[in-house]
Amino acid sequence: MGIKVVKFGGSSVADAIQLQKVKKIIEADPDRKYVVVSAPGKRFDDDSKITDLLYLCKSHVDNNLTPLHVFQVISDRYRMMELNLGVKTNIDQALEEIRSNLKPGVTADYIASRGEYLCGILTAAVLGYDFVDPAGLICFDERGRYLPDQTDSRLSAELAKHERAVIPGFYGSTMDGSIKTFTRGGSDITGSLVAKAVNADIYENWTDVSGFLMADPRIVEGAKPIKNITYKELRELSYMGASVLHEDAVFPVRESNIPINIRNTNEPDNPGTVISDTPAESNENIITGIAGRKDFAVITLYKNMMNAEVGFVKRLLTILENNGIPFEHLPTGIDTVSVILSRKELGGKLQDLLEDIERRLTPDSVEVYQDLALIATVGVGMTRRPGVCAKLFGSLNDAGVNVRMIDQGSSEMNIIIGVDNGSFETAISAIYNAFVK
Ligand code: ASP
């Protein structure tokens, strides 16, 4: 017998019908012993997530408005779930306690965390599992920083006492007991911490998509699923915008060599995507996935004999640092250097930045281009394989896409190209069609 930790996201626990699916999934495999839940999410497009409604209660309290109407909507949803599930829990009492705490001084973290807390109570009752509150087990310091060592020892000691348990996601507490949440989507992190603490064989993350696709299906219709992906490839693709999982959820399980399996609650027979450190044994497509983002700016500096001027790039990066702007890439030539920045990060600071560059670096000329899209083609299968670049650039040539920038890391696992925003979709489709059979 093994141990599987299963985490269900907001859409998987949105109502009683979804929770029945969760029950079926758990009952289909006795190894699914530890269950982490998010707060109920949207049931339909215009619906509200419970977590958003809870934050709304907090802003009502902060603005001296009564939060009780909003809280009534939240309470009704949980009561309806309890009724439709046909279980008897202490949800009324829990709701009453939360309601009485909705007054000035209440923290946003406490209020937001109650979505997961209440959902955990219902899920534990539906499954007949123990309810384990992560407050006091998932630990933060008084400044709100997560404490990995304390968490691991407390969580594993407590879970060892429960053969089967439901643990609400998203929150823990400081040493003095005040509730502290992770950032949004943080139940993924809880799932990962629980998997590490019980030394699980696998961390199943159940959501509403059947894992990762090789490209955005809004761009490439019928994009194929990715069956296996390494953590490194995932990091590259998520940086470029392909997100299903909270970024910080990867580290705890990766350290312990526990694979993550992204699964779909509405399509439980689909095997989804497995994320691990082991590359797929065979990959007929060579590449693992393509992802990209629009709206980058490129600032290119020309200066004769730049390569002989010691400290030039360092001074350029210091100017960015002083203006509080992170850079994404730094392609260099003999007498040129370009910095690629996200336009969002650049905000309204472009003029100040250019003035600083003129004053402190005295370049011969400076060019700014503001409509760049970056596309990453990722895959460990590309390493040490001749002809990959020829295929990729050949496909772009055939599609009439002009490549403005190329960046291939020495790992050879990722080729990043820069194209005009307007060519973004064409370029992704061309690369996909060139590689994927
Ligand atoms: N309920 C929280 C959110 O909506 C955390 C989570 O679902 O993971 O962000």
Side-chain angles (χ1 to χ4, degrees), residues 170-211:
F170 193 36
Y171 71 94
S173 69
T174 57
M175 291 309 174
D176 66 8
S178 18
I179 297 293
K180 180 80 200 110
T181 62
F182 292 112
T183 50
R184 293 299 302 265
S187 299
D188 283 341
I189 309 175
T190 310
S192 185
L193 298 175
V194 170
K196 182 170 195 267
V198 299
N199 200 13
D201 299 297
I202 195 157
Y203 168 27
E204 291 181 345
N205 189 295
W206 291 80
T207 169
D208 53 3
V209 291
S210 298

Side-chain angles (χ1 to χ4, degrees), residues 8 11-29 32 43 85 123 126-127 206-208 264-268:
F8 290 93
S11 58
S12 305
V13 294
D15 57 18
I17 299 173
Q18 290 302 90
L19 267 176
Q20 291 293 1
K21 293 184 191 170
V22 168
K23 185 173 189 228
K24 255 181 117 175
I25 290 167
I26 301 290
E27 286 176 354
D29 186 344
R32 294 183 173 134
R43 294 159 292 180
L85 288 164
T123 314
V126 171
L127 301 177
W206 291 80
T207 169
D208 53 3
N264 188 347
T265 303
N266 306 316
E267 219 185 297

